[in-house]
Amino acid sequence: MTGLDLSSPVAVVGTGTMGQGIAQVALVAGHPVRLYDAAPGRARDAAGAIGARLDRLVAKGRLTEADRDAARARLEPVDNLADLADCGLVVEAVLERLDVKQRLFGELEEIVAEDCLLATNTSSLSVTAVGGTLRHPGRFVGLHFFNPAPLLPLVEVVSGFATDVTSATRAYETARAWGKTPVACADTPGFIVNRIARPFYAEAFAVHEAQAADPATIDAVLRECGGFKMGAFELTDLIGQDVNESVTHSVWQSFFQDARFTPSLAQRRLVESGRLGRKSGRGWYDYADGAERPEPHTADKEQPPAYVIAEGGLGPAAELLALIREAGIRVREEDEDHGTRLVLPSGGQLVLADGQTSAEFRDVVYFDLALDYRTATRVALSAAQDTSPRTLAEATGLFQALGKDVSVIGDVPGMIVARTVARIIDLAHDAVAKGVATEEDIDTAMRLGVNYPLGPFEWDRRLGRDFAFDVLDEMHERDPSGRYAPSLALYRHAYATDKREGTS
């Protein structure tokens, strides 16, 4: 099946930032576009704003003057819903209120033809519920664009409980014809991106609430060690704390207050105080003129150890052994069946974050997971209060000798990157097991929708089948609230390897 014919008009109802962006996408793709807004004059203002953006595209060499003029000729603001009668697709981008959307689509159903595709751009409401009052809900689908719609490639094509396969396919092919990268998903709270991305924010906030590290340090570790483009605190300041918290709260409520999606009290207090991020001038950070951005905690220079003993390899951190040798530090490798670690000259141990804490062991320093230890510019370490100062100094000096800045954080299980990635992988496996989307679409959605360096399943393959399960299983033992309980899907995934290899 192909998408919507280019001769078929596309209507956009709601002319805020998102509505204008969607209209621009359809317009540049070659469709006639009708703009409608319930507020008098807003549709005409939106048409003018879209025209100005087309002018800027011409100035940047991304659109010819002829194409701009043709697009402007196809753009028509209208004053009445009845003017949308001949449209082949209507995309709604109005207020995120179920009653408002249901009423709108009820009115549209009386106006448009029976083969007109009806779509909502909702990011937080149930597509099934929005279309639930329609006489013909089979033609109703979610088309969730990401802001700014003209620039971001991802579109989540959401099938409600009553959506016909032909309607979903038609919407999918239309988005692809518009130059977007569509992914198909079932109607579940948060769809793909807003469901699976929750731990990126939640775990950063949890580490902060545990007094283990400040926002600047956590952000730096996520960027410089985890490979994420932005840290959770700076990203939520950009999104808007009220917007981000609202999505988190909506997903949590929609999943019947599932502990895995519990909102952050610290973020709630931020919203209550009016510190909404960049748009209000202050959030986690201060954006006032002249305000200094806090620096991440970076350890003082320490001497590197003369040698290390590698016992049992380092699993996902095995690349460190080559880096240590390149730095001129002797490495002696010993086969061990009880864990993977580096033993330092002090006798202390350096261990990859595994969901346990330094306080449980004698003289253990944990180091965080990195996307790529060779290119990472910062590594986090954690130690207990009674960890030997010499062991911590040797661990710090070791990573500094590899050219890394070192941030020493509090003794929290899973540290920062490891717990975040493990939870993202878990939610992704759970989503596939419950028919939300395919592995491929989830990886695509997380790379394009929130700019992750790897999709969850790409991370999983790199780390090994049991890494995420082991981290979360250990964390769940230390926090039995259910927040870190591995899903049944992740359990099956982790133990499938053991069964094939004949291990117990």
Side-chain angles (χ1 to χ4, degrees), residues 274-299:
R275 297 183 178 185
L276 306 182
R278 289 181 178 272
K279 64 185 178 183
S280 69
R282 189 165 184 179
W284 296 110
Y285 301 110
D286 189 348
Y287 299 94
D289 292 340
E292 292 187 11
R293 181 71 173 263
E295 293 294 325
H297 168 76
T298 302

Side-chain angles (χ1 to χ4, degrees), residues 43-276:
R44 297 188 186 283
D45 291 343
I50 294 170
R53 283 199 290 272
L54 296 178
D55 289 339
R56 289 195 290 274
L57 290 178
V58 171
K60 294 177 181 178
R62 298 176 183 173
L63 192 68
T64 67
E65 291 187 2
D67 286 341
R68 176 201 59 194
D69 294 342
R72 279 182 166 170
R74 293 194 301 271
L75 182 60
E76 180 185 1
V78 299
D79 297 322
N80 300 293
L81 281 178
D83 295 324
L84 310 181
D86 64 336
C87 290
L89 167 65
V90 180
V91 183
E92 163 272 317
V94 302
L95 189 66
E96 283 286 274
R97 275 181 44 186
L98 180 61
D99 59 334
V100 172
K101 294 179 186 291
Q102 286 180 331
R103 184 164 56 250
L104 169 64
F105 283 110
E107 294 174 6
L108 285 168
E109 193 172 37
E110 300 298 325
I111 294 168
V112 299
E114 290 186 2
D115 61 348
C116 176
L117 194 62
L118 299 177
T120 175
N121 183 58
T122 185
S123 61
S124 61
L125 299 175
S126 162
V127 170
T128 301
V130 174
T133 58
L134 297 177
R135 293 195 311 275
H136 304 290
R139 61 169 165 175
F140 188 77
V141 67
L143 276 179
H144 181 215
F145 289 78
F146 289 74
N147 193 28
L151 297 180
L152 295 185
L154 185 70
V155 177
E156 292 177 319
V157 181
V158 187
S159 292
F161 186 78
T163 302
D164 292 336
V165 172
T166 54
S167 297
T169 302
R170 191 176 173 206
Y172 185 98
E173 294 300 334
T174 297
R176 186 159 63 176
W178 289 358
K180 296 301 180 182
T181 302
V183 292
C185 65
D187 183 22
T188 184
F191 310 141
I192 298 175
V193 172
N194 280 330
R195 172 179 178 152
I196 295 174
R198 292 347 298 158
F200 180 73
Y201 315 109
E203 294 312 307
F205 299 161
V207 171
H208 173 56
E209 290 175 343
Q211 302 293 297
D214 60 277
T217 299
I218 296 169
D219 277 353
V221 172
L222 286 168
R223 289 194 314 270
E224 301 172 38
C225 185
F228 294 95
K229 298 298 182 183
M230 297 181 74
F233 296 90
E234 57 190 345
L235 180 55
T236 52
D237 267 358
L238 179 64
I239 295 169
Q241 298 302 331
D242 53 340
V243 174
N244 182 261
E245 198 228 14
S246 176
V247 173
T248 298
H249 196 271
S250 174
V251 172
W252 175 63
Q253 289 283 20
S254 296
F255 276 114
F256 308 105
Q257 300 185 2
D258 187 327
R260 296 175 300 167
F261 302 101
T262 302
S264 162
L265 182 59
Q267 188 180 37
R268 176 91 291 261
R269 293 292 178 258
L270 209 64
V271 173
E272 289 174 340
S273 68
R275 297 183 178 185
L276 306 182

Side-chain angles (χ1 to χ4, degrees), residues 297-497:
H297 168 76
T298 302
D300 293 335
K301 186 69 176 177
E302 300 285 356
Q303 289 297 313
Y307 67 91
V308 296
I309 301 171
E311 295 186 346
L314 293 179
E319 185 181 23
L320 282 175
L321 298 181
L323 298 179
I324 293 170
R325 290 189 175 98
E326 291 168 16
I329 299 171
R330 288 184 288 118
V331 178
R332 188 170 83 229
E333 295 190 58
E334 297 182 355
D335 291 332
E336 292 287 339
D337 294 330
H338 53 280
T340 60
R341 60 198 177 189
L342 292 175
V343 180
L344 300 165
S346 67
Q349 301 172 25
L350 188 56
V351 181
L352 175 63
D354 60 6
Q356 301 181 82
T357 61
S358 295
E360 302 167 53
F361 304 98
R362 177 184 172 276
D363 215 14
V364 166
V365 173
Y366 277 104
F367 66 95
D368 209 350
L369 177 69
L371 173 68
D372 183 335
Y373 284 100
R374 183 171 292 277
T375 60
T377 58
R378 182 178 299 272
V379 171
L381 302 179
S382 67
Q385 290 184 347
D386 59 354
T387 299
S388 163
R390 180 185 171 190
T391 295
L392 182 57
E394 288 178 347
T396 300
L398 174 64
F399 280 103
Q400 289 173 338
L402 306 186
K404 319 299 182 187
D405 288 329
V406 173
S407 293
V408 179
I409 70 170
D411 187 21
V412 289
M415 300 192 68
I416 298 172
V417 180
R419 71 196 287 168
T420 300
V421 171
R423 289 209 58 218
I424 288 171
I425 289 171
D426 181 50
L427 290 185
H429 276 283
D430 185 54
V432 170
K434 292 177 178 174
V436 174
T438 65
E439 291 186 8
E440 181 181 4
D441 275 356
I442 287 175
D443 275 352
T444 298
M446 301 314 290
R447 287 197 314 270
L448 299 184
V450 277
N451 213 12
Y452 284 2
L454 294 173
F457 295 98
E458 292 171 320
W459 267 111
D460 191 36
R461 288 188 288 273
R462 176 179 292 198
L463 297 174
R465 297 175 69 103
D466 56 356
F467 178 84
F469 176 83
D470 288 347
V471 169
L472 294 180
D473 195 40
E474 294 288 358
M475 292 187 70
H476 177 55
E477 184 176 330
R478 287 150 185 81
D479 176 4
S481 65
R483 180 186 181 108
Y484 301 105
S487 66
L488 179 58
L490 188 64
Y491 177 89
R492 287 170 171 160
H493 173 71
Y495 277 90
T497 300

